[in-house]
């Protein structure tokens, strides 16, 4: 890309009165240079079976072309029209809760052959119609795609075929998944049961993997159709979303991010986050790091993020600017709000857009105008930021699914992403840049420090690879419940933590909940409340590892809680219990220092956030953010440069003042 994109989702179909020209005028005044259209309105584009009406697409394309505003066309396949369901009610997915009812989006079975027929037809009709329009710069396939728990008879039949191809015989399946238990053994392919009722966590995890493969194949299928029509100068993307905890939170359990992104030219991400006094920037950073890692470090598009959003998300003055530049600092080449205009009825009426319901300028719109001007003015210096990180978090959808089946026991709500985010947030707070890798990544060995949370299910080959990583000089931090089960979520029959005990220099065979137990550790300057444990503790015996912390408990006190082992040229740290942030932060900081990555940026800590990269002109760019309501100042530690937003020169050792919710961007000379 040669210009930063600043955009909005726009729905001419939803407008209560004619105002396209007025919207374009206001967009131009705001610096909006791209709109995303068409992905939500299949029933308008095909009001009856085989009857197509692209009036709204044409109106917007013509208006945007005249205004010099780019357009991203979305395939409208995530929300099906009424006539389709009337004609083919089986298109509505059957889930563990029964068959979906019409009304909500994403209620269909993405593997259904009739749905695929209509989806392909509307995609081809739209592509034939828009492909030559010069305003169109790219295409979004589907929208926040997942399998949506589809599990009806046709999906079960596809799963049986998948199992036949992968495991060949029922004897293999019965043995690998332990199906003799509770008489779950399958003795005839025709008797293969539905996965909706399975009590076998291994089989449930395999079905979850299969459902993720449905998503990967579906997006590749759509991308292949679009690729038949698109021009060489147009891109294909998708707006992946994340696990949702009232906002974007963690790795999406229902999508293999890296696998699904292979069919795309550029990764896209939807990032929504708390605001006002709860704005930390961590969700922006997390989502950006995941999206950038999907395509091996390439820049990405923030396809959706909030302008006003929910009532509790309306930003304080300055926060919209802070957020926008935070996306760029993680490597985004686009920031786009959902939506442009607030909607006046139906499900998302009070998820407000850049404009409120009166469509008039408001403080958020006025602040967006300053962002648009700065994006336009500084595009050449801020676009295509290249980032090089030496720390990565290894995540695994297989481990996530396996852990979901077994977790920490009955009634415990702590999940995979809660643990992963504890470590990610620690890195973020101390301004340590981070990438994500998964078990398929070829570049794991390139990192100096690898953090591996809850690697509950993993094949022998991955654990052996991680042992070799340490032996060859890598540093690794494991959490509890790692190495526990194989790739089929079958618990290993050796001492835990399985194969990685070689690098970790420990073993254990018992675990419990830390009732009245805490950490016993010297020289860490921890407060009593920092030593508390919750939910889970493994009773570790070191073999070659040194003990960093024992349990403080009259019975369990002889066991180690946290260990560290020199193995070959590297170091493996193992955390055997759920600790406080103070403890994990201490361990992270010590390891960052140990691998030589503690530098000038680590002299700052959240709410002062700094990120950096190399721009397309080969110059270093340093972002500084103040995620607080208090004015702050820092001593600029790098070579002389220019603060790009103000145009002022800045010298090494100079004072840099950050207003509340403020941002500074320095390009080194």
């Amino acid at each position: 890309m040669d210009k930063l994109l600043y955009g909005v989702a726009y729905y001419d179909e939803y407008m209560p009165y004619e105002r396209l020209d007025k919207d374009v005028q206001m967009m131009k005044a705001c610096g909006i240079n791209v709109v995303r259209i068409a992905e939500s309105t299949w029933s308008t584009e095909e009001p009856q079976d085989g009857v197509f009406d692209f009036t709204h697409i044409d109106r917007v394309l013509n208006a945007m072309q005249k205004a010099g505003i780019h357009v991203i066309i979305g395939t409208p396949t995530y929300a099906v029209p009424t006539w389709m369901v009337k004609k083919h009610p089986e298109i509505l997915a059957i889930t563990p809760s029964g068959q979906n009812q019409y009304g909500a989006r994403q209620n269909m079975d993405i593997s259904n052959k009739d749905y695929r027929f209509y989806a392909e037809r509307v995609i081809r009709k739209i592509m034939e119609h828009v492909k030559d329009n010069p305003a169109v710069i790219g295409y979004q396939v589907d929208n926040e795609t997942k399998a949506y728990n589809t599990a009806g008879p046709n999906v079960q039949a596809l799963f049986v075929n998948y199992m036949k191809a992968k495991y060949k015989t029922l004897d293999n399946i019965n043995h690998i998944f332990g199906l003799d238990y509770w008489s779950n053994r399958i003795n005839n392919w025709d008797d293969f049961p539905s996965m909706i009722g399975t009590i076998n966590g291994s089989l449930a995890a395999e079905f979850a993997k299969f459902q993720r493969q449905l998503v990967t194949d579906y997006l590749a299928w759509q991308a292949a159709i679009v690729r038949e029509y698109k021009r060489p100068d147009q891109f294909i993307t998708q707006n992946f979303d994340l696990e949702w905890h009232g906002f974007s939170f963690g790795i999406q359990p229902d999508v293999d991010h890296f696998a699904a992104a292979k069919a795309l030219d550029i990764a896209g991400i939807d990032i929504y986050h708390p605001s006002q006094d709860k704005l930390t920037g961590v969700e922006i950073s997390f989502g950006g790091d995941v999206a950038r890692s999907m395509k091996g470090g390439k820049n990405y598009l923030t396809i959706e993020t909030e302008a006003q959003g929910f009532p509790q998300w309306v930003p304080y003055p300055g926060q919209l600017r802070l957020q926008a530049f935070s996306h760029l600092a993680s490597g985004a080449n686009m920031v786009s709000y959902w939506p442009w205009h607030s909607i006046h009825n139906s499900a998302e009426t009070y998820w407000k857009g850049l404009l409120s319901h009166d469509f008039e300028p408001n403080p958020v719109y006025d602040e967006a105008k300053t962002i648009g001007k700065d994006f336009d003015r500084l595009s050449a210096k801020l676009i295509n930021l290249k980032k090089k990180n030496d720390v990565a978090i290894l995540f695994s959808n297989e481990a996530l699914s396996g852990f979901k089946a077994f977790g920490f026991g009955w009634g415990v709500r702590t999940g995979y992403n809660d643990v992963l985010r504890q470590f990610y947030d620690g890195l973020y707070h101390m301004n340590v840049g981070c990438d994500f890798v998964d078990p398929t990544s070829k570049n794991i060995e390139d990192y100096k420090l690898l953090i591996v949370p809850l690697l509950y299910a993993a094949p022998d080959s991955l654990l052996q690879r991680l042992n070799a990583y340490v032996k060859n000089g890598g540093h690794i931090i494991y959490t509890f419940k790692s190495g526990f089960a194989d790739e089929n979520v079958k618990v290993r029959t050796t001492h835990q933590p399985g194969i990685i005990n070689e690098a970790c220099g420990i073993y254990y065979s018992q675990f419990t909940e830390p009732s009245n137990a805490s950490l016993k550790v010297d020289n860490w300057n921890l407060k009593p409340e920092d030593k508390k444990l919750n939910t889970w503790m493994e009773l570790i015996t070191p073999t070659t590892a040194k003990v960093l912390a024992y349990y403080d408990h009259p019975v369990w006190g002889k066991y180690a809680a946290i260990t560290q082992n020199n193995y070959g040229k590297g170091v493996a740290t193992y955390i055997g219990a759920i600790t406080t942030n103070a403890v994990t932060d201490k361990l992270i900081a010590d390891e960052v220092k140990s691998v030589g990555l503690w530098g000038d940026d680590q002299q700052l800590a959240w709410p002062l956030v700094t990120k950096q990269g190399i721009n397309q002109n080969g110059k270093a760019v340093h972002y500084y953010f103040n995620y607080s309501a208090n004015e702050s100042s820092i001593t600029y530690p790098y070579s002389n440069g220019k603060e790009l937003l103000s145009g002022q020169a800045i010298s090494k050792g100079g004072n840099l003042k950050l207003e509340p919710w403020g941002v500074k961007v320095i390009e080194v000379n």
Side-chain angles (χ1 to χ4, degrees):
M1 289 188 175
D2 57 7
K3 194 169 183 67
L4 288 173
L5 296 176
Y6 190 48
V8 291
Y10 185 67
Y11 306 102
D12 187 57
E13 302 89 335
Y14 301 167
M15 283 300 179
Y17 59 88
E18 172 57 49
R19 57 170 288 117
L20 179 56
D21 291 342
K22 178 65 173 178
D23 283 326
V24 170
Q25 177 187 339
M26 293 182 71
M27 287 179 192
K28 292 287 287 183
C30 193
I32 297 298
N33 60 14
V34 64
V35 297
R36 182 188 62 156
I37 67 170
E39 91 287 348
S40 294
T41 50
W42 191 345
S43 63
T44 308
E45 294 150 21
E46 190 179 2
Q48 292 298 326
D49 184 0
V51 177
F52 297 94
D53 182 353
F54 300 137
T55 302
H56 289 282
I57 291 177
D58 291 340
R59 277 170 46 81
V60 175
L61 281 178
N62 292 337
M64 298 304 164
Q65 184 182 347
K66 288 179 184 176
I69 296 175
H70 302 303
V71 179
I72 297 171
I73 300 282
T75 63
T77 46
Y78 83 117
V80 298
T82 55
W83 59 259
M84 186 189 302
V85 174
K86 177 73 172 177
K87 191 171 184 178
H88 298 282
E90 70 279 3
I91 281 174
L92 294 177
I94 296 173
T95 76
S97 301
Q99 186 167 27
N100 287 335
Q101 300 300 303
Y102 186 81
R105 65 182 188 173
Q106 299 169 324
N107 55 3
M108 70 287 179
D109 171 10
I110 62 171
S111 70
N112 179 276
K113 61 181 179 59
D114 293 312
Y115 166 77
R116 288 288 190 104
F117 168 81
Y118 294 118
E120 179 171 354
R121 187 175 69 179
V122 75
I123 293 169
R124 290 189 182 278
K125 290 290 186 181
I126 289 174
M127 291 302 301
E128 289 166 0
H129 195 77
V130 305
K131 64 185 175 63
D132 296 323
N133 191 296
V136 179
I137 60 169
Y139 303 95
Q140 174 189 304
V141 287
D142 206 67
N143 185 83
E144 296 183 342
T145 310
K146 292 170 282 294
Y148 319 124
N149 280 322
T150 186
N154 64 308
V155 176
Q156 300 297 334
L158 291 172
F159 180 62
V160 173
N161 290 336
Y162 162 93
M163 294 295 280
K164 284 180 179 178
K166 184 171 182 178
Y167 295 103
K168 309 304 181 189
T169 71
L170 284 171
D171 283 343
N172 284 339
I173 292 172
N174 288 320
H175 172 70
I176 289 169
F177 294 97
L179 297 182
D180 289 310
Y181 184 80
W182 277 3
S183 199
N184 276 198
R185 182 179 180 85
I186 307 167
N187 296 308
N188 189 304
W189 285 108
D190 292 335
D191 299 337
F192 209 105
S194 167
M195 291 299 98
I196 287 178
T198 187
I199 52 84
N200 185 290
S202 298
L203 210 50
E206 190 69 37
F207 187 62
K209 183 187 296 185
F210 163 76
Q211 289 177 308
R212 291 194 298 273
Q213 186 63 47
L214 290 180
V215 176
T216 299
D217 294 344
Y218 173 76
L219 289 176
W221 171 77
Q222 283 216 20
I225 296 171
V226 172
R227 208 170 294 280
E228 291 181 34
Y229 297 88
K230 84 171 192 71
R231 302 191 307 264
D233 63 321
Q234 295 172 327
F235 60 79
I236 299 174
T237 190
Q238 215 272 337
N239 58 330
F240 294 102
D241 66 351
L242 300 164
E243 187 183 49
W244 189 260
H245 281 195
F247 50 86
S248 303
F249 184 76
I251 298 298
Q252 174 56 256
D254 300 329
V255 179
D256 281 327
H257 291 292
F258 288 13
K262 287 179 180 177
L264 311 174
D265 299 314
I266 184 169
I269 190 81
D270 290 353
I271 301 174
Y272 294 100
H273 51 81
S275 191
Q276 300 179 14
D277 295 327
K278 296 180 180 178
L279 178 64
T280 65
V282 67
E283 289 80 19
I284 295 173
S285 180
F286 178 87
D289 288 343
V290 170
R292 190 185 64 252
S293 298
M294 283 186 208
K295 299 292 286 183
K298 291 182 180 178
N299 301 101
Y300 62 94
L301 309 177
T302 303
I303 294 179
E304 290 185 21
T305 192
E306 71 217 51
Q308 297 186 83
F310 295 140
Q312 66 269 27
W313 287 356
V314 177
Y316 291 157
Q319 287 188 337
L320 198 74
R321 283 181 61 80
L322 178 66
Q323 293 159 196
F325 285 96
S326 294
H327 289 290
L328 299 189
S330 288
N333 275 351
M334 178 171 98
V335 177
S336 182
Y337 302 116
W338 194 91
W340 164 251
H341 49 279
S342 296
I343 297 166
H344 293 76
N345 54 343
S346 202
E348 294 174 313
T349 296
Y350 288 101
W351 189 310
K352 289 176 65 179
L354 192 58
L355 300 185
S356 294
H357 292 105
D358 59 7
F359 295 149
E360 296 295 327
N362 63 69
V364 177
Y365 170 81
D366 290 339
E367 191 167 309
K369 290 170 73 172
T370 72
I371 300 167
K373 289 176 182 176
D374 284 336
F375 274 25
D376 181 62
R377 178 172 60 91
L378 300 172
S379 185
K381 296 180 180 295
L382 301 183
I383 196 171
N384 298 325
L385 187 73
K386 295 303 170 196
K387 299 176 70 68
K388 173 69 172 70
N389 292 316
D390 291 308
V391 178
I393 292 177
L394 173 66
F395 76 94
S396 165
N397 280 98
E398 286 73 21
L400 193 162
S401 293
F403 181 75
K404 184 177 180 181
F406 294 102
F408 292 120
W410 298 108
V412 178
R413 299 180 64 87
T414 300
Y416 180 92
N417 279 312
D418 296 298
V419 176
L420 185 150
R421 276 289 304 268
Q422 183 179 24
F423 286 85
Y424 181 86
D425 290 13
L427 291 168
Y428 173 77
H429 289 152
M430 59 188 73
N431 290 307
V432 176
C434 175
D435 293 340
F436 284 88
V437 292
D438 82 348
T440 69
S441 297
K442 307 297 185 188
N443 62 331
I444 289 174
E445 287 76 14
D446 296 343
Y447 294 93
K448 295 181 179 179
L449 174 60
L450 202 59
I451 296 176
V452 185
L454 276 178
L455 189 59
Y456 180 73
D460 290 0
S461 58
L462 176 59
L463 302 185
Q464 289 160 354
R465 182 184 179 189
L466 294 176
N467 281 350
Y469 165 83
V470 179
K471 194 171 188 177
N472 291 328
H475 286 230
I476 200 164
I477 299 176
Y478 287 107
T479 76
F480 38 87
K481 282 252 182 180
S482 290
F484 211 92
D486 68 12
E487 67 270 31
N488 299 304
V489 200
K490 192 173 194 175
V491 174
R492 289 187 162 86
T493 58
T494 60
H495 279 316
Q496 295 297 352
I499 292 166
I500 62 172
N501 59 12
E502 181 182 336
C504 293
I506 60 171
Y507 73 90
Y508 70 92
S509 61
Q510 289 184 294
F511 41 82
T512 185
E513 63 175 17
S515 178
N516 299 317
S518 60
L519 283 185
K520 183 165 62 178
V521 59
D522 298 323
N523 305 319
W524 279 13
N525 297 318
L526 295 176
K527 302 172 185 174
E529 59 267 26
D530 294 335
K531 299 179 183 180
K532 291 182 178 179
L533 305 172
N534 70 83
T535 307
W536 184 261
M537 57 188 285
E538 296 164 352
L539 307 180
I540 295 171
T541 299
T543 52
T544 58
K546 65 178 179 181
V547 178
L548 300 184
Y550 284 97
Y551 293 116
D552 191 357
H553 187 273
V555 176
W556 312 130
K558 65 180 180 179
Y559 292 107
I562 304 171
T563 62
Q564 194 168 75
N565 190 53
N566 294 317
Y567 179 70
K569 300 176 183 177
V571 176
T573 302
Y574 189 91
I575 305 168
I578 298 184
T579 68
T580 61
N581 292 342
V583 172
T584 53
D585 287 355
K586 164 69 176 170
L587 292 167
I588 292 169
D590 284 351
E591 281 302 281
V592 170
K593 292 171 183 174
S594 180
V595 296
L597 297 177
W598 198 268
D600 292 323
D601 288 349
Q602 285 66 54
Q603 305 312 307
L604 302 178
W606 189 88
L608 298 180
V609 172
T610 181
K611 290 180 177 286
Q612 60 178 298
I614 304 297
N615 69 14
Q616 62 184 3
N617 303 317
K619 294 186 176 182
V621 176
H622 298 272
Y623 285 85
Y624 293 94
F625 304 104
N626 181 10
Y627 271 93
S628 82
N630 302 311
E631 184 178 289
S632 191
S633 63
I634 64 170
T635 301
Y636 173 67
Y638 294 102
S639 299
N640 297 349
K642 178 189 284 188
E643 201 288 300
L644 296 177
L645 299 176
S646 65
Q648 294 179 343
I650 180 76
S651 300
K652 181 175 183 177
N655 185 63
L656 198 62
K657 186 172 76 171
L658 286 163
E659 63 272 17
W661 312 111
V663 55
K664 303 290 184 187
V665 187
I666 297 173
E667 182 186 54
V668 175
N669 292 338

